[in-house]
Amino acid sequence: EVCAEYAKTFYLGTLLMTPERRRAVWAIYVWCRRTDELVDGPNASYITPKALDRWEKRLTDLFEGRPYDMYDAALSDTVTKYPVDIQPFKDMIEGMRLDLRKSRYKNFDELYLYCYYVAGT
């Protein structure tokens, strides 16, 4: 439902996948969307570096089979079935940390790294 609502073209493309892979990709998308919403969503003004530390701990917990909610459970199931590395997820959280403390970049290399963190992961 989240993918169908917020990522219409992406959602349509995933319909070409097998049902099992589709659910796995949706779980990853939803985690990424929720992570991005922390710093870009309606509650962004309340997000602190400590909140992102808690989000990263939550990520570690779900990778270790301890999900907090049904969305975490979907990703936890995905990472047990597929060889998914935690590092890109941690890197995305690092991009959210950059969003909290920086809005301009001195050069292309800095901007490129930021783009990797928030979109390339």
Side-chain angles (χ1 to χ4, degrees), residues 49-69:
K50 286 276 191 212
L52 292 176
D53 291 345
R54 288 191 301 274
W55 190 252
E56 188 166 358
K57 168 71 169 96
R58 182 175 173 152
L59 171 69
T60 300
D61 286 347
L62 76 85
F63 261 77
E64 293 174 357
R66 295 185 304 275
Y68 287 47
D69 62 22

Side-chain angles (χ1 to χ4, degrees), residues 24 27-28 31 58-82 84 89:
I28 292 168
W31 184 88
R58 182 175 173 152
L59 171 69
T60 300
D61 286 347
L62 76 85
F63 261 77
E64 293 174 357
R66 295 185 304 275
Y68 287 47
D69 62 22
M70 69 180 189
Y71 298 113
D72 287 354
L75 184 56
S76 188
D77 180 64
T78 294
V79 303
T80 62
K81 291 180 180 174
Y82 296 95
V84 178
F89 296 88

